[in-house]
Amino acid sequence: MVTSVHLADVRPSTTLHLLRTRLTGDEVPGLRYAESLIAAPLSSHLLPAPRPGRIGLIAAWEDDSALDRFLASHPVAEALAGGYR
């Protein structure tokens, strides 16, 4: 199993769209788990303020090739392509 973490700065409207998009193993071959989230900077505050334009995706894949296929062809991967992986 392979785990991937993706962070990207996108428009707030894109963040909302990506949060509504639920990735499942039925739609994305080789995907075992996926969770989208709004990222917030680390701080000393108990509840840091989220950044509406920063999106994160944590996912688990059957193998490297499943992740590679996702990165090469899925619209969510395209939206996150300008960020950190």
Side-chain angles (χ1 to χ4, degrees):
M1 184 174 344
V2 176
T3 302
S4 64
V5 176
H6 311 259
L7 295 171
D9 290 327
V10 297
R11 295 182 316 174
S13 60
T14 302
T15 299
L16 291 175
H17 173 73
L18 292 174
L19 287 173
R20 289 186 192 128
T21 302
R22 295 285 174 203
L23 298 175
T24 66
D26 295 334
E27 295 176 3
V28 183
L31 178 68
R32 291 192 175 191
Y33 169 84
E35 189 72 38
S36 297
L37 50 100
I38 294 177
L42 295 175
S43 75
S44 61
H45 301 289
L46 181 60
L47 296 172
R51 290 186 164 169
R54 183 162 288 167
I55 185 84
L57 172 68
I58 300 169
W61 307 91
E62 288 180 8
D63 53 29
D64 287 324
S65 62
L67 173 57
D68 291 341
R69 284 190 305 273
F70 170 76
L71 293 173
S73 64
H74 200 277
V76 170
E78 184 179 320
L80 300 173
Y84 168 83
R85 177 174 63 89

